[in-house]
Amino acid sequence: MKKIAFVLGMTGQDGPYLSKFLLEKDYTVYGLVKRYSNPNLANLKFLGIENDVELVTGDITDDNCLNHLIKSIKPDEYYNLAAQSFVGASWDLNKTTSEINALGALNSLNAIKLHNPNTRYYQAGTSELFGNSGNDMQDEDTPFQPRSPYAVSKLYAHWMTINFRESFSIHASNGILFNHESPIRGKEFVTRKITDGVAQIKCGLSDKIILGNLDAKRDWGFAGDFVEAMWLMLQQDEPDDYVVSTGTQNSIHDLLNLAFQSVDINDWEKYVETSPAFKRPAELHSLCGNNAKAKRVLGWEPKTSFKELVSMMVEEDIKRYTK
């Protein structure tokens, strides 16, 4: 009998990649989409799975909705990837961010506890929890110092997941994922903003990219690699929390270098401008994850290098403009 997975966040980046991974493992995959008359399924179509996922409409902020869906679907695995995930917008959208990211997780956990307590639960965490920790590398024991409303909302979800695990013996795990990108990352994120901008410049459609802080340093990996770690967490006998990262760090400067080099442009500085409008009210300067626990316990490690990731994203963006 096929396992049933319920994946939230189907119109984002991670939901489609995870769904593709699960379908390849012969799961029946249900995906939650908001109650729009015409939901954006472009990312599912990009991965060729738009007809393979059972889409259900609903809202993670509606606890009655989730109660009904858990009772009817009875999933073996529940992946909460739903979020207002753009950090920069979370200052202006702090209430919406909190309702989706924090209370959405609580609604999910309550629905599982009440209606299908054997469901295994995955909570999508974030390296933004660590803030400016002062550590060269962050692991599961690094103190949290959230620097944005987004990170604060995710901190609530993180600890609520632990609380339900310890209070009600639910198999609930947190994935503390460092930055992970792909060709279907939203254009509001700096990685895709850069690769899309480079593609436009290469195709003669633009002559500049306007960015914020070029000195920020992050640990970037490929979303297609990271979703495997999510699944592995729910295959363990005991639930736990894991940092998922590449263990390597690059700056925005490095990203720009690689993106422009991939289209044979070496003097990228003349195409890039900075603006205070794209800087955060509270900046997060440096993140790099120690993935030793994920390697040791889950047997997981990233497969795609940073250079390969950037080249892949630029290549796909160029294809979009040359079709």
Side-chain angles (χ1 to χ4, degrees):
M1 188 173 179
K2 284 187 175 185
K3 278 189 175 182
I4 297 173
F6 188 25
V7 180
L8 286 72
M10 291 302 293
T11 58
Q13 170 186 251
D14 293 2
Y17 274 105
L18 176 62
S19 296
K20 182 177 176 64
F21 177 88
L22 293 170
L23 288 165
E24 290 171 350
K25 290 195 170 294
D26 203 31
Y27 278 66
T28 297
V29 178
Y30 287 84
L32 185 70
V33 294
K34 289 183 180 179
R35 296 186 182 113
Y36 296 137
S37 59
N38 186 26
N40 184 358
L41 304 180
N43 290 349
L44 292 172
K45 291 177 181 177
F46 180 87
L47 295 176
I49 59 170
E50 71 273 19
N51 297 319
D52 301 321
V53 176
E54 301 288 337
L55 295 177
V56 294
T57 58
D59 190 334
I60 194 172
T61 65
D62 183 339
D63 55 348
N64 289 326
C65 169
L66 290 187
N67 287 337
H68 168 72
L69 290 173
I70 289 294
K71 282 194 289 186
S72 59
I73 295 173
K74 295 182 174 59
D76 298 290
E77 298 170 10
Y78 184 113
Y79 295 88
N80 181 19
L81 312 183
Q84 190 302 100
S85 58
F86 184 43
V87 178
S90 70
W91 276 273
D92 292 329
L93 300 175
N94 48 49
K95 185 172 184 287
T96 299
T97 300
S98 299
E99 288 171 344
I100 296 171
N101 298 359
L103 296 183
L106 178 61
N107 292 339
S108 298
L109 288 160
N110 270 328
I112 289 170
K113 177 175 75 76
L114 291 171
H115 302 295
N116 207 44
N118 291 324
T119 295
R120 296 191 171 196
Y121 177 80
Y122 171 82
Q123 173 60 40
T126 171
S127 58
E128 294 276 336
L129 294 172
F130 296 118
N132 294 323
S133 68
N135 297 37
D136 290 335
M137 298 187 77
Q138 296 81 40
D139 61 19
E140 293 81 5
D141 297 320
T142 302
F144 296 134
Q145 297 182 21
R147 295 274 290 170
S148 65
Y150 167 79
V152 171
S153 69
K154 284 291 192 176
L155 184 61
Y156 177 98
H158 178 93
W159 282 112
M160 195 58 73
T161 299
I162 293 172
N163 186 263
F164 270 68
R165 180 169 78 211
E166 295 178 347
S167 301
F168 306 113
S169 299
I170 290 174
H171 194 295
S173 296
N174 285 297
I176 308 172
L177 270 63
F178 279 64
N179 296 63
H180 47 290
E181 316 298 328
S182 76
I184 58 172
R185 176 57 107 179
K187 291 182 183 180
E188 69 272 24
F189 292 86
V190 67
T191 46
R192 182 75 192 290
K193 185 176 182 179
I194 288 172
T195 63
D196 179 73
V198 168
Q200 290 193 49
I201 290 167
K202 180 65 175 178
C203 295
L205 302 173
S206 177
D207 59 3
K208 66 181 176 181
I209 306 171
I210 304 175
L211 302 170
N213 178 18
L214 303 187
D215 297 319
K217 297 177 180 178
R218 296 291 187 270
D219 181 333
W220 280 294
F222 174 44
D225 293 342
F226 279 35
V227 296
E228 181 183 11
M230 302 176 187
W231 175 77
L232 285 167
M233 290 179 210
L234 300 197
Q235 311 316 306
Q236 305 306 305
D237 291 336
E238 298 296 330
D240 207 344
D241 308 319
Y242 298 88
V243 162
V244 180
S245 66
T246 70
T248 60
Q249 187 184 69
N250 289 279
S251 68
I252 302 294
H253 280 102
D254 297 328
L255 176 53
L256 285 163
N257 273 324
L258 287 174
F260 277 99
Q261 284 176 10
S262 71
V263 294
D264 299 319
I265 296 175
N266 297 315
D267 53 346
W268 62 263
E269 290 86 354
K270 70 181 185 182
Y271 297 103
V272 176
E273 296 180 7
T274 59
S275 168
F278 295 107
K279 293 185 178 180
R280 298 182 180 184
E283 189 58 65
L284 200 168
H285 303 295
S286 176
L287 289 170
C288 189
N290 180 346
N291 58 20
K293 181 178 178 181
K295 286 184 176 180
R296 183 181 72 254
V297 179
L298 304 179
W300 177 88
E301 56 185 315
K303 302 178 180 70
T304 308
S305 71
F306 181 60
K307 183 177 181 180
E308 290 169 336
L309 171 64
V310 175
S311 295
M312 174 201 315
M313 292 175 67
V314 173
E315 181 180 342
E316 290 298 333
D317 278 321
I318 289 174
K319 287 181 183 177
R320 291 181 174 104
Y321 290 113
T322 54
K323 282 183 178 179

